[in-house]
Amino acid sequence: MKEIALHVLDIVENSVAAGATRVDITVCEDSSDDTLTIVVQDNGKGMDQDLLERVSDPFVTTRTTRKVGLGIPLLKAAAEACNGYLRIESTLGKGTRLEARFQRSHIDRMPLGDLAGTLLTLLVAFPQVRWVFRHVVDGREFCFDSEPILKELDGVPLTEPIILSFVKQLLHEGIARVQQNIG
Amino acid sequence: MPQIKSLEELKRLREEALEKRQARTVAGHAQVVVGMGTCGIAAGARDTMKAILEFIEKENLSGVVVTQTGCIGLCEWEPIVEVTVGGGPKVTYGKVDPEKARRIMKEHVVNSHVVEEYVIPS
């Protein structure tokens, strides 16, 4: 994957596959402690200890657990290559929390990439899920919650041209606002 | 609170969308499905999806259903896009980059002509 935003798009689909109705995605950049952290928290069906231990291992998971696949091992490798880590906590029946941390200034850290494009794709592809997105850069914060928007739309799909423009602009402006002054 | 202000704007846009929807809808119903498994995403499916959405926006196309599917086992053909127009058959396109996506949208979704050269041979 060439962007962190693409990893995010990829791994949150595990949450959707786990039947989550709400997924919280947090992207946090902190230049003082030189970290970039991604947290994905869902209310899906969760994993038992056995599966939890296997999800990070591509050689086990790709062959035995079709639902998990390569997404997590790829993100884990990317984070670890940048002095970071990947942690997953999960409770059966409650949900899963995944945290990936990167050294922000690490030479191998791929760019954050097109977060707005990732979010728009998720909103269009999985309208049944409530997406809550938080982007924090050195204390500046952008929050996006799909629920009030879908409620207001009341059945009119996001893919109507003017609605699409509106949501796209909302995401682009919000993300640009928190990312100003940062490389 | 910018969010509240924008929700009011959204309310207005919704009414507008409803009116337009009645006025101009793609012949029959068109469904566009983008493959979004790990293989699809790694091959560029998000940018394909983006190009499709941008086409809808630019051409002001109402009534196109855009959705996603996971890996369908044809990873070497990703990004894959499936198009169904009206009562027509489902057509599966392979290696759809943004440029090909725009052509498929224009020729197949809008004008109901299958773009044969991008169809995955069976």
Side-chain angles (χ1 to χ4, degrees):
Chain A
M1 303 281 169
K2 285 182 244 153
E3 303 170 11
I4 288 179
L6 287 175
H7 277 290
V8 171
L9 178 61
D10 188 25
I11 51 161
V12 297
E13 292 191 28
N14 292 325
S15 300
V16 178
T21 54
R22 173 176 174 157
V23 182
D24 288 61
I25 302 170
T26 307
V27 177
C28 205
E29 288 181 79
D30 193 327
S31 54
S32 64
D33 66 4
D34 194 22
T35 57
L36 189 157
T37 314
I38 310 286
V39 177
V40 176
Q41 171 109 46
D42 70 52
N43 66 353
K45 65 183 175 194
M47 291 177 276
D48 58 27
Q49 200 57 38
D50 180 49
L51 183 57
L52 194 57
E53 276 163 21
R54 287 187 294 138
V55 286
S56 299
D57 184 348
F59 300 108
V60 177
T61 54
T62 50
R63 292 279 169 189
T64 58
T65 324
R66 273 207 161 269
K67 276 182 188 159
V68 177
L70 274 171
I72 291 169
L74 283 175
L75 177 58
K76 185 173 195 256
E80 286 173 355
C82 300
N83 286 335
Y85 57 78
L86 179 95
R87 279 181 202 149
I88 306 175
E89 294 154 27
S90 192
T91 312
L92 259 186
K94 287 248 165 88
T96 300
R97 181 184 188 278
L98 177 147
E99 178 177 334
R101 171 159 292 181
F102 298 76
Q103 182 192 333
R104 200 174 153 271
S105 66
H106 199 283
I107 187 88
D108 289 329
R109 180 181 68 80
M110 64 272 273
L112 199 49
D114 185 2
L115 270 179
T118 283
L119 282 168
L120 193 64
T121 298
L122 289 172
L123 291 168
V124 168
F126 308 105
Q128 75 279 16
V129 176
R130 177 178 180 183
W131 298 101
V132 181
F133 172 68
R134 261 179 81 232
H135 187 23
V136 187
V137 181
D138 290 341
R140 288 189 304 274
E141 185 172 340
F142 167 59
C143 249
F144 176 89
D145 182 349
S146 68
E147 189 177 65
I149 289 179
L150 290 187
K151 214 170 139 194
E152 194 66 63
L153 284 175
D154 193 19
V156 172
L158 272 170
T159 46
E160 283 305 305
I162 47 173
I163 307 296
L164 211 47
S165 307
F166 170 84
V167 176
K168 204 167 98 177
Q169 200 185 345
L170 193 74
L171 293 172
H172 275 286
E173 280 174 7
I175 290 169
R177 210 166 46 235
V178 294
Q179 283 183 344
Q180 55 183 291
N181 307 325
I182 210 149
Chain B
M1 284 288 285
Q3 188 83 0
I4 290 172
K5 190 181 160 229
S6 56
L7 278 181
E8 276 167 16
E9 195 190 341
L10 185 61
K11 191 178 232 153
R12 187 178 58 73
L13 290 174
R14 180 184 177 273
E15 298 301 322
E16 203 180 310
L18 271 179
E19 279 170 33
K20 283 215 177 114
R21 211 170 145 76
Q22 281 159 346
R24 189 187 170 191
T25 305
V26 176
H29 252 304
Q31 193 185 32
V32 180
V33 182
V34 183
M36 285 271 176
T38 300
C39 48
I41 294 169
R46 191 197 57 197
D47 293 336
T48 300
M49 172 71 101
K50 252 178 91 174
I52 290 167
L53 296 178
E54 272 163 15
F55 187 91
I56 289 175
E57 214 184 315
K58 272 205 193 96
E59 300 297 318
N60 206 10
L61 279 189
S62 204
V64 181
V65 179
V66 183
T67 173
Q68 69 85 45
T69 183
C71 172
I72 58 170
L74 296 169
C75 312
E76 71 274 26
W77 284 97
E78 296 284 355
I80 289 172
V81 174
E82 298 172 342
V83 176
T84 314
V85 178
K90 180 177 83 183
V91 178
T92 306
Y93 294 105
K95 300 189 178 172
V96 183
D97 60 19
E99 193 56 50
K100 289 180 184 169
R102 282 186 282 274
R103 202 175 139 199
I104 291 165
M105 289 301 288
K106 193 173 165 208
E107 293 182 20
H108 191 171
V109 175
V110 177
N111 293 320
S112 303
H113 293 300
V114 176
V115 189
E116 297 290 350
E117 56 188 289
Y118 302 158
V119 176
I120 298 180
S122 48

